[in-house]
Amino acid sequence: MSNQVRVRYAPSPTGHLHIGNARTALFNYLYAKHLGGKVVIRIEDTDEKRNVEGGERSQLNYLNWLGVEWDESPDKGGEYGPYRQMERLDLYKKYVDELLERGLAYKCYMTSEELEAEREAQMARGEAPKYSGAHSNLSQEEIEQFEAEGREPSIRIRVPENKTYKFNDIVRDDITFESSDFGDWVIVKKNGTPTYNFAVAIDDHLMEISHVLRGEEHISNTPKQMMVYEAFGWEPPKFGHMTLILNEERKKLSKRDQHILQFIEQYKNLGYLPEALFNFITLLGWSPEGEEEIFTQEQLIDIFNPERLSTSPAVFDAAKLKWMNNQYIKASDLDRVEGLALPHLIEAGRLSEDMSEEDRKWARELISLYHDQLSYGAEIVELTELFFKQEIDYDEEAMNVLEGEQVPEVLETFKKNLNELDEFTPENIKKQIKAVQKETGHKGKKLFMPIRVATTGQTHGPELPNAIHLLGLETVTVRLDDVLAKLQG
């Protein structure tokens, strides 16, 4: 094995890029880049029943969108390929044959029904179920009999007896397993494809992977992979197992959990920024020194220290992600924010796809109004609702504002002043609000709040003169008339 740091992200092409998988990819990427190493993408596609059309392309597309760069992969190639397991079957066969020849593996002809019966009997006796080794020493006669029956064998590796498997985990320090915890396990299925733990160990060795960072659900796989390394006299890579990601109720994040959006594609489609997600996901189970939480990708590469990987589960805080994305949106230029938000206004039917230059300018000003407030692109639809509806339903807080005794005078004066304007601009509207103050003597909340509520229907919102300008004189006049009619009725 070379001294260069080489890591791998090895997804199955079974669907879209999940938050948990994205974190695995990010941590491997940051670790390798921090130490000047290489990132390998390997596609683990041996479970063909679960593979999804376009699954590989989807994984790579969204990794790329997040900002992860790799050095070797199916699409880039490299000297350690092929990078899809189904294209490496001849390689695996060579090593399987070697184990069979050396007596370190054997063919097992037990049927699924026989294996299940064995498991049930063990559990009935209060034993942990594991393969008994019933076919570990078959005679030639028995083998011929099973083959005459048409039985297809799987191939099992012989697990050494009374051996302790110990490894120093990057995250969890020393972890120990006893070989007696395992029965002889399958390295090649009846259909001839290698199992996960066998193929992974072969691939990691041949691709000279130095460090394996992955989720804690793989801890129990590690001793099996170490058995393969041991059988061939190879040095295993350094392992690190990251803690679980929990939802806000402190339960394991499940793909069936409907409360949290879990796929990178969903966040992209909602108008989140990739660098915000990169930043947020990196902090799920890893912490920098100090209190700062907003980092560029380059900064994260520079400061990434695997010793600061957490030993406690990470909690997915959706509100924090929104806050973080808002920080990135505020720091972005208006062109980029318009690109995030405008498609959602079009999709919602608020704006036409082939809008005029004038309408596009109006839309840009509208998005600009919410630039600092926007948490993600799709949120623009809800935030700007007041600009697209004819009638306003005033809530209790709004009605309390409109019930002030000064309100009719303020609104009548404001309406009169607006209709006398030569040019309906934010600057002139602001001047007219001040003119109302002079004419009526009302100021502060008694002046601004009735105007805001009557024109926008909201007690809080964007810069008032800008909002009134974008609503347009006709809409504002109608709304003022409606409120005055209600108050006088």
Side-chain angles (χ1 to χ4, degrees):
M1 188 177 290
S2 72
N3 292 323
Q4 185 184 46
V5 169
R6 286 176 58 82
V7 303
R8 47 80 165 177
Y9 171 62
S12 299
T14 55
H16 303 296
L17 182 60
H18 183 260
I19 288 283
N21 300 123
R23 183 184 69 165
T24 297
L26 290 192
F27 283 179
N28 277 284
Y29 168 77
L30 290 169
Y31 186 72
K33 294 307 172 187
H34 177 73
L35 295 171
K38 301 284 188 183
V39 178
V40 176
I41 301 286
R42 184 175 71 226
I43 304 299
E44 298 183 346
D45 56 353
T46 55
D47 191 350
E48 293 185 286
K49 288 180 183 175
R50 295 181 61 230
N51 294 347
V52 172
E53 181 73 30
E56 176 186 320
R57 178 48 43 201
S58 177
Q59 288 271 342
L60 298 183
N61 280 346
Y62 288 102
L63 272 183
N64 186 57
W65 178 78
L66 267 180
V68 175
E69 299 166 353
W70 50 88
D71 302 285
E72 302 166 32
S73 64
D75 61 335
K76 280 193 174 181
E79 60 183 291
Y80 296 88
Y83 294 92
R84 295 185 187 94
Q85 287 187 330
M86 287 303 287
E87 296 172 5
R88 298 172 64 82
L89 295 181
D90 288 345
L91 283 170
Y92 306 133
K93 186 176 184 309
K94 168 189 163 187
Y95 290 101
V96 171
D97 289 345
E98 181 182 331
L99 292 179
L100 287 169
E101 286 170 18
R102 293 168 58 201
L104 297 179
Y106 59 90
K107 293 179 179 180
C108 171
Y109 292 86
M110 288 184 75
T111 64
S112 55
E113 291 78 16
E114 288 169 341
L115 290 167
E116 184 57 34
E118 182 179 89
R119 282 174 56 86
E120 288 177 0
Q122 289 170 334
M123 292 169 72
R125 295 193 299 268
E127 301 170 5
K130 64 180 182 181
Y131 177 61
S132 64
H135 284 199
S136 60
N137 293 292
L138 294 175
S139 67
Q140 188 59 37
E141 265 187 358
E142 288 171 314
I143 291 172
E144 288 172 3
Q145 174 63 36
F146 286 135
E147 290 185 349
E149 292 174 15
R151 293 197 186 199
E152 294 288 341
S154 60
I155 298 174
R156 293 179 181 269
I157 193 169
R158 294 187 191 276
V159 173
E161 293 182 10
N162 305 316
K163 182 169 180 65
T164 299
Y165 288 91
K166 180 177 179 180
F167 62 97
N168 184 260
D169 192 275
I170 293 170
V171 181
R172 299 158 188 275
D173 294 327
D174 289 340
I175 298 177
T176 303
F177 287 91
E178 299 301 325
S179 64
S180 56
D181 296 336
F182 302 87
D184 295 347
W185 51 277
V186 175
I187 60 173
V188 179
K189 292 180 273 191
K190 292 180 187 293
N191 66 3
T193 58
T195 58
Y196 171 78
N197 283 307
F198 183 71
V200 161
I202 300 295
D203 289 341
D204 284 346
H205 172 73
L206 295 180
M207 293 182 178
E208 299 190 7
I209 300 303
S210 63
H211 295 77
V212 173
L213 292 175
R214 56 191 180 186
E216 69 172 25
E217 66 274 13
H218 286 286
I219 290 177
S220 60
N221 289 325
T222 307
K224 290 184 176 181
Q225 292 163 25
M226 291 175 74
M227 291 174 199
V228 177
Y229 273 82
E230 181 183 63
F232 293 108
W234 298 336
E235 180 188 347
K238 182 81 172 162
F239 294 101
H241 292 90
M242 299 165 287
T243 57
L244 294 172
I245 300 175
L246 306 181
N247 64 19
E248 288 159 337
E249 296 171 348
R250 302 299 194 273
K251 293 178 182 174
K252 181 181 176 183
L253 195 62
S254 160
K255 290 181 182 179
R256 294 183 295 275
D257 190 339
Q258 299 298 309
H259 302 293
I260 293 175
L261 297 176
Q262 298 194 35
F263 297 97
I264 301 302
E265 180 179 9
Q266 292 172 302
Y267 289 99
K268 179 179 185 291
N269 291 343
L270 280 171
Y272 278 78
L273 290 168
E275 56 268 39
L277 270 173
F278 191 108
N279 192 157
F280 175 78
I281 294 171
T282 301
L283 299 181
L284 287 174
W286 177 84
S287 60
E289 294 182 21
E291 300 299 315
E292 182 61 49
E293 292 187 297
I294 305 293
F295 299 96
T296 65
Q297 185 169 322
E298 291 72 25
Q299 287 172 323
L300 287 170
I301 289 171
D302 186 52
I303 65 175
F304 189 79
N305 180 353
E307 291 180 8
R308 296 193 63 83
L309 285 166
S310 175
T311 56
S312 303
V315 177
F316 189 100
D317 185 341
K320 182 174 179 178
L321 173 55
K322 282 178 65 175
W323 168 82
M324 188 171 282
N325 201 61
N326 171 254
Q327 302 303 302
Y328 279 88
I329 285 179
K330 284 197 284 193
S332 298
D333 62 40
L334 183 56
D335 284 345
R336 193 171 189 206
V337 178
E338 183 182 349
L340 291 177
L342 189 59
H344 295 283
L345 289 170
I346 293 169
E347 186 182 349
R350 299 280 172 83
L351 296 169
S352 168
E353 201 155 354
D354 55 350
M355 69 187 90
S356 66
E357 276 304 310
E358 187 179 349
D359 286 344
R360 184 169 285 277
K361 185 180 176 215
W362 181 87
R364 183 178 174 84
E365 288 180 29
L366 179 66
I367 292 165
S368 170
L369 204 57
Y370 291 92
H371 186 154
D372 288 351
Q373 188 180 341
L374 200 62
S375 295
Y376 55 94
E379 195 179 37
I380 197 71
V381 176
E382 182 184 348
L383 289 174
T384 60
E385 187 180 5
L386 72 96
F387 292 91
F388 298 98
K389 61 183 184 181
Q390 296 301 312
E391 294 186 10
I392 295 175
D393 295 319
Y394 297 98
D395 61 21
E396 187 177 349
E397 188 180 3
M399 286 308 299
N400 286 339
V401 170
L402 295 177
E403 285 167 4
E405 60 180 355
Q406 87 289 4
V407 170
E409 182 185 10
V410 167
L411 297 185
E412 285 281 11
T413 308
F414 183 57
K415 187 183 90 167
K416 172 181 69 70
N417 289 2
L418 286 185
N419 281 285
E420 291 173 357
L421 282 177
D422 293 329
E423 198 177 354
F424 195 71
T425 63
E427 297 76 19
N428 286 342
I429 293 165
K430 189 173 184 178
K431 287 176 185 173
Q432 292 315 310
I433 293 173
K434 288 184 177 177
V436 173
Q437 178 180 330
K438 281 187 180 177
E439 290 178 49
T440 65
H442 301 300
K443 59 184 179 181
K445 282 190 174 183
K446 289 193 171 185
L447 170 67
F448 292 103
M449 287 297 278
I451 295 174
R452 178 177 290 282
V453 169
T455 56
T456 70
Q458 300 176 343
T459 52
H460 310 281
E463 193 71 31
L464 186 56
N466 298 69
I468 290 172
H469 168 247
L470 287 172
L471 281 166
L473 179 58
E474 185 180 341
T475 297
V476 169
T477 302
V478 168
R479 288 182 179 180
L480 290 171
D481 284 340
D482 286 347
V483 172
L484 286 166
K486 283 176 185 171
L487 295 177
Q488 289 159 5

